[in-house]
Amino acid sequence: MRLKSIVGACLLGMALSTTIFAPGHAETLRIMSGTAQAPLHVPMNRAVVVESDTPFAELSIANPGIADIQTLSDRSIYVLGKLPGRTTLTILGADGKLISNVDVQVTPDVAEFKERLKQILPGENIDVRTANDGIVLSGTVSSAQKLDRALDLANRYAPDRVSNLMMVAGTQQVMLKVRFAEMQRSVAKSLASSLAVRGTGGNLSGIAATGNYTATGAVSGMFDSGTVPIAGDKGAIGLGFTAGNLQFAVLLEALESKGVVRTLAEPNLTALSGQQADFLAGGEYPIPVLKDNSVSIQYKPFGVELAFTPRVVDGDVINLEIAAAVSAIDTTVSMSQGGFTVNAFKKRSTSTTVEMRDGESFAIAGLLQDDFTDLNDQIPWLGDVPVLGALFRSADYQRKQSELVIIVTPHLVSPVKGEALALPTDRLKLPTESELFLYGKTAGGLSAPTKPTRGPAAEVAKQDFSGSYGYVME
């Protein structure tokens, strides 16, 4: 009885020491001599108890840095996982014979990670596995945002050792509709007067003129021929009369111009979530570049440019990184050098990041510009004379207004069958020779075999575009 008590106390002390040495819940693996043993999976910083059906006398571990061992009895072994990896546990009997070689595989402890994953992302179908010293995530999640959360949590348990095999459910393709709308209005008014006087008396003669009559030749030509020179494209009224030896001429010029310009572009572009898509409708302008005493040509794109990266965040919430621009060649500004003439560009562009739901719209850019110019030219002192001073004065008035709006609308889209999509050429047929030469038709009628019978293309074919359609500006 006393010997049994001593042996029990020793075993109890060994159990307590191993508990301090390697805390955690210990599982049990039974080893039968003479049979093939399955690999022993030990979570890192946790322990597994190995029990042998026969007493052993000697134990050895190939790599103590991966796993540590301690005996509980002549049939029980305490295996503690220290670092991720694989090693071998060798068990020998009292006669030196081999009882078994156990393949020990230490993997990261994912039990706590699985619990936290279910708490943070309940209802998500995510499978967690270990591979070597890392974590592998697979399955299907409902949104890209939840996928990022799962990866962020996994990196806390296995930094830089996470393999992502997860997929995002739902539609992950986004079509972006962008509308560029710009209105430009301009008003210009000009009023000018010119006065010329010529007098002769005896041996003396003289000429005085203002405005467009300042040139002697113009004055002489006006008096001699009786015609009135008109400056540029301005409307003009000329009056002339004679009083004794004096000849007078008065020229009144007036101009009023108004202009309206409308620019509208609606590019549409589709891209996969997380992938960038580019779009350009326009051309490329050649620009000469001087380098190393030689001239090379570089091409600068112009027209309607669009680049965006969509990200489906959660359900129908879409995050958009957008860069949009509308440019055109400005012929009013140019530079000439070395025999080359290069024009400037007019460009309206924006770059931003917004977030919205499927079908919602956002005005990502807007500009209202109002330019005003008022110019008054006059002859000093004479132009300040009441009433008559108008003959020695000219006035120009210009006002330009422009308004620009850029509106974006994203849509979640899925591919459809080809026959469901309508093309602009679906309703067009080339005219026959008789239709072109006899009737002057530039497009023939749509024959019955080529006419769509089903789907959206058929609806387009039924529409009549013979009258006014589209955007009509009063």
Side-chain angles (χ1 to χ4, degrees):
M1 290 295 294
R2 187 174 181 181
L3 180 59
K4 291 183 178 180
S5 300
I6 294 174
V7 172
C10 292
L11 292 177
L12 179 60
M14 292 176 60
L16 292 176
S17 63
T18 53
T19 303
I20 299 175
F21 168 70
H25 177 70
E27 300 178 1
T28 303
L29 175 68
R30 300 188 181 277
I31 296 177
M32 307 296 293
S33 60
T35 59
Q37 304 300 324
L40 176 63
H41 296 278
V42 183
M44 190 171 62
N45 296 325
R46 298 176 70 94
V48 172
V49 175
V50 178
E51 292 185 351
S52 176
D53 62 336
T54 58
F56 57 83
E58 186 178 351
L59 301 175
S60 64
I61 189 77
N63 189 347
I66 295 177
D68 205 349
I69 57 175
Q70 186 170 349
T71 58
L72 299 179
S73 66
D74 59 350
R75 296 175 183 266
S76 300
I77 310 166
Y78 197 87
V79 181
L80 173 68
K82 298 173 66 177
L83 291 177
R86 300 175 70 96
T87 187
T88 303
L89 171 63
T90 302
I91 305 175
L92 300 176
D95 54 357
K97 293 184 178 180
L98 177 66
I99 297 177
S100 178
N101 275 331
V102 182
D103 188 14
V104 179
Q105 183 176 357
V106 180
T107 58
D109 185 11
V110 296
E112 181 182 0
F113 170 63
K114 290 181 179 180
E115 295 177 1
R116 296 294 180 265
L117 197 61
K118 291 182 179 180
Q119 294 174 358
I120 297 175
L121 300 175
E124 297 296 330
N125 184 22
I126 301 177
D127 296 328
V128 181
R129 296 182 179 88
T130 59
N132 197 6
D133 59 344
I135 297 177
V136 178
L137 301 180
S138 61
T140 303
V141 293
S142 58
S143 67
Q145 185 180 25
K146 294 180 179 179
L147 184 145
D148 293 338
R149 290 179 181 177
L151 292 177
D152 183 65
L153 181 61
N155 276 310
R156 294 184 175 274
Y157 286 87
D160 301 325
R161 300 192 308 274
V162 179
S163 299
N164 177 26
L165 301 181
M166 294 183 292
M167 299 179 60
V168 180
T171 303
Q172 296 298 306
Q173 296 183 100
V174 180
M175 183 189 73
L176 182 65
K177 178 179 180 182
V178 183
R179 287 176 287 172
F180 297 87
E182 183 178 15
M183 289 291 298
Q184 297 180 358
R185 296 176 289 271
S186 62
V187 176
K189 296 180 180 181
S190 177
L191 179 63
S193 61
S194 302
L195 176 65
V197 180
R198 184 173 71 173
T200 59
N203 295 325
L204 299 176
S205 64
I207 297 175
T210 63
N212 290 323
Y213 287 156
T214 56
T216 304
V219 175
S220 301
M222 185 270 297
F223 284 125
D224 296 339
S225 63
T227 60
V228 178
I230 298 178
D233 56 353
K234 295 183 179 180
I237 299 176
L239 299 175
F241 59 94
T242 302
N245 294 329
L246 297 177
Q247 294 177 315
F248 296 89
V250 178
L251 178 64
L252 299 178
E253 299 172 285
L255 174 67
E256 181 179 6
S257 63
K258 298 179 180 179
V260 175
V261 178
R262 185 198 71 173
T263 303
L264 181 66
E266 293 191 13
N268 295 340
L269 194 58
T270 303
L272 188 66
S273 176
Q275 302 297 320
Q276 181 176 345
D278 299 318
F279 176 88
L280 172 64
E284 292 186 338
Y285 185 74
I287 298 177
V289 178
L290 180 61
K291 183 178 181 181
D292 298 333
N293 296 326
S294 63
V295 178
S296 61
I297 300 298
Q298 292 184 357
Y299 290 90
K300 179 178 179 61
F302 68 91
V304 179
E305 301 176 69
L306 174 63
F308 85 109
T309 304
R311 292 182 178 86
V312 181
V313 180
D314 190 5
D316 60 349
V317 179
I318 305 170
N319 180 281
L320 295 174
E321 293 183 11
I322 308 170
V326 177
S327 57
I329 299 175
D330 187 1
T331 57
T332 61
V333 180
S334 62
M335 183 191 71
S336 299
Q337 187 176 3
F340 295 97
T341 300
V342 180
N343 293 319
F345 285 81
K346 294 186 296 184
K347 187 174 184 179
R348 286 80 71 197
S349 62
T350 181
S351 178
T352 185
T353 302
V354 294
E355 192 170 276
M356 64 192 80
R357 294 186 180 275
D358 177 21
E360 295 181 341
S361 298
F362 227 128
I364 62 172
L367 171 66
L368 179 61
Q369 186 174 355
D370 192 348
D371 297 330
F372 174 80
T373 303
D374 194 358
L375 182 63
N376 189 7
D377 296 329
Q378 67 178 25
I379 297 177
W381 304 300
L382 295 179
D384 296 330
V385 177
V387 183
L388 294 178
L391 298 175
F392 306 95
R393 185 171 58 241
S394 64
D396 290 324
Y397 164 84
Q398 291 184 354
R399 187 174 186 180
K400 296 181 180 180
Q401 294 177 320
S402 63
E403 185 174 1
L404 170 67
V405 175
I406 302 177
I407 300 176
V408 297
T409 305
H411 295 280
L412 293 174
V413 294
S414 299
V416 298
K417 294 184 178 180
E419 57 269 16
L421 299 177
L423 298 176
T425 56
D426 287 343
R427 300 181 61 250
L428 180 64
K429 178 185 176 184
L430 296 178
T432 62
E433 293 184 358
S434 61
E435 290 175 335
L436 177 62
F437 293 106
L438 296 181
Y439 301 102
K441 293 184 179 180
T442 57
L446 193 64
S447 59
T450 60
K451 183 179 296 185
T453 58
R454 302 178 63 183
E459 297 298 326
V460 175
K462 295 178 183 177
Q463 299 177 14
D464 183 15
F465 295 111
S466 58
S468 298
Y469 65 94
Y471 294 89
V472 179
M473 189 172 181
E474 299 292 344

